[in-house]
Amino acid sequence: MLPQWIIEKKRDGKALTEEEIRSFIGAYAKGDLPDYQMAAMAMAIFIRGMNPQEIAWLTDAMMRSGHVLNTKSIKKPKVDKHSTGGIGDKVSLILAPLAASVGLAVPMISGRGLGITGGTLDKLESIPNYRTNLTEAQFISVVKKIGCSIIGQTSQLAPADKKLYALRDVTGTVASIPLITASIMCKKLAEGLDGLLLDVKCGKGAFMTTHKDARALALSMVRVGNAMGKRMAAIITNMNQPLGDTAGNALEVVESIETLQNKGPADLTEITIASVEEMMVLGRVTKNRTAARKQLEKNLADGTAFRIFREMVKLQGGDVRAIDDPSRLPQAKLKVPFAAPSAGYVALADAESIGKACVVLGAGRVRTDQAVDFAVGVSGIRHVGDKVNKGDPLLVIHANDKKRLADAQALLKQAYKISKSKPKQPPLIFERINGDTIGKSK
Ligand code: URA
């Protein structure tokens, strides 16, 4: 079948066969099918959608466009987590060693930040000399030794996605559930996992702004994972305000270290524990969630998880002196409080505006080839429900440039609202989709 006939079939709203999807994606990955045909297909999928079986074939074809990790030599249950990204989302840095501390293996391949959402790799690279580009053998060896490793995407991993994602970015075809599902899942499933937890962020600072859309994406990814023989769960979490008290690369590493030392903020600690609980159920290393939580709290309190993180940094070439003494991490020249204009309760701490302020400061990138400034960002973020006096810092801006500081201050004016009455505490987790609920989800 000619590629244009396959495009026409999808354009007319018909379901594609496995053979059609595999031949189309296979040809695109090899360079035998031009970008304009792939773009037309992406738009047809965007408008017409795909059924769950088509999405699973698309995911599998994209995964097989590259190398699938051979993790057979890792004997522990291999379970990872993927977050759709948010502001201040440093969960992976804490979660991977915490999950390793309870007998899971976490071979985590992470991405960089783009736009207002930060990336795990940028955060880790703020640790001097930390290597995110291990070879596959080194990566597996670190996971076998300590139970976790976090590295970056290699060029062999799902190359069809790399090409297609760049094309979607410039053809108005990013926000499509079948395309997002295949794009995320083809990379995660190439890690050779037994199970995967998805953290679908929902709110103003996230890709999915409504619960309905976040739920549809979560269910789509869970179905594809299940169809490919993986144990799957998802949590839908609140991204209307930043997670934790910092946003910005090195600042988030400091907060992750504190959380691993059991001194972290309550929201970040809770999301991390709730996530690893689900991972333990997926990996079958716990009797139930209550027992899992008890063990996780213990491993945070007694330093077990922190020691694994420190060891991971060491094995990946990072300077552990910066872990033992975080003042050795990159520091910004200017630290300027952003003051509350009146007394009352924080009613809005808008993740989107705070995220934009961080990008303006240089913590994030607008184009994939831009460098980031590890030192800048915001700390001491006050959250919805916090009581403040007039002039109290709502957060502290860390900047290296006066012009950028002024631009960030202008953006932050829209970030906060103070009310006289105490607002209702927003939920951290909107919904859990797991073995107990999947059958009941439409
Ligand atoms: N992240 C991805 O990797 N792919 C998408 O399509 C969207 C978010």
Side-chain angles (χ1 to χ4, degrees), residues 265-280:
D267 60 345
L268 178 61
T269 306
E270 174 53 30
I271 296 249
T272 309
I273 289 182
S275 300
V276 186
E277 250 175 58
E278 294 297 338
M279 290 168 74
M280 289 173 77

Side-chain angles (χ1 to χ4, degrees), residues 82 84 161 165 168 174 176 179-184 187 207:
H82 175 81
T84 55
D161 176 64
Y165 194 73
R168 285 167 57 209
V174 168
S176 148
L179 294 174
I180 298 172
T181 300
S183 168
I184 291 175
K187 289 175 289 208
F207 215 40

Side-chain angles (χ1 to χ4, degrees), residues 58-293:
L58 178 65
T59 306
D60 194 62
M62 283 170 50
M63 181 181 87
R64 287 177 203 284
S65 71
H67 181 62
V68 178
L69 228 68
N70 184 349
T71 52
K72 282 211 173 67
S73 63
I74 302 173
K75 297 300 169 212
K76 291 176 181 167
K78 296 166 282 284
V79 183
D80 192 9
K81 181 231 35 161
H82 175 81
S83 160
T84 55
I87 319 303
D89 180 4
K90 69 280 290 171
V91 168
S92 292
L93 274 64
I94 310 151
L95 168 142
L98 184 59
S101 79
V102 291
L104 294 172
V106 188
M108 188 182 279
I109 299 179
S110 286
R112 294 185 190 285
L114 187 60
I116 60 170
T117 57
T120 300
L121 284 194
D122 298 318
K123 297 172 213 224
L124 283 169
E125 283 178 355
S126 70
I127 302 168
N129 305 330
Y130 183 94
R131 283 185 56 208
T132 55
N133 62 344
L134 302 186
T135 63
E136 183 175 329
Q138 290 167 332
F139 179 51
I140 302 272
S141 149
V142 176
V143 177
K144 279 165 100 171
K145 227 175 248 167
I146 58 166
C148 65
S149 174
I150 308 179
I151 60 163
Q153 199 179 331
T154 63
S155 56
Q156 300 104 306
L157 192 98
D161 176 64
K162 199 162 188 205
K163 275 178 87 179
L164 178 54
Y165 194 73
L167 196 62
R168 285 167 57 209
D169 210 21
V170 291
T171 55
T173 52
V174 168
S176 148
I177 285 184
L179 294 174
I180 298 172
T181 300
S183 168
I184 291 175
M185 294 297 288
C186 75
K187 289 175 289 208
K188 278 288 152 183
L189 297 179
E191 289 176 358
L193 301 171
D194 300 309
L196 176 65
L197 172 72
L198 300 160
D199 178 356
V200 180
K201 299 277 176 215
C202 170
K204 278 207 66 199
F207 215 40
M208 293 289 154
T209 52
T210 67
H211 188 164
K212 183 167 165 270
D213 287 347
R215 185 164 212 275
L217 178 60
L219 284 173
S220 171
M221 293 194 285
V222 163
R223 284 196 192 104
V224 164
N226 285 154
M228 292 170 78
K230 309 295 172 189
R231 288 175 235 142
M232 300 289 301
I235 50 175
I236 299 178
T237 59
N238 193 340
M239 192 31 75
N240 285 308
Q241 60 178 342
L243 183 60
D245 297 351
T246 62
N249 299 296
L251 292 165
E252 292 189 51
V253 171
V254 177
E255 190 175 20
S256 302
I257 293 170
E258 287 166 1
T259 307
L260 282 160
Q261 293 171 336
N262 216 20
K263 297 179 293 195
D267 60 345
L268 178 61
T269 306
E270 174 53 30
I271 296 249
T272 309
I273 289 182
S275 300
V276 186
E277 250 175 58
E278 294 297 338
M279 290 168 74
M280 289 173 77
V281 173
L282 291 174
R284 299 181 180 152
V285 294
T286 185
K287 285 200 295 283
N288 55 51
R289 289 186 178 82
T290 314
R293 177 166 285 259

Side-chain angles (χ1 to χ4, degrees), residues 45-62:
I45 294 172
F46 184 97
I47 293 169
R48 291 298 195 167
M50 279 184 143
N51 67 38
Q53 180 61 76
E54 287 177 286
I55 303 174
W57 287 329
L58 178 65
T59 306
D60 194 62
M62 283 170 50

Side-chain angles (χ1 to χ4, degrees), residues 371-389:
V372 296
D373 182 341
F374 294 130
V376 300
V378 296
S379 66
I381 300 172
R382 305 302 299 266
H383 291 88
V384 171
D386 287 353
K387 194 163 188 246
V388 290
N389 291 314

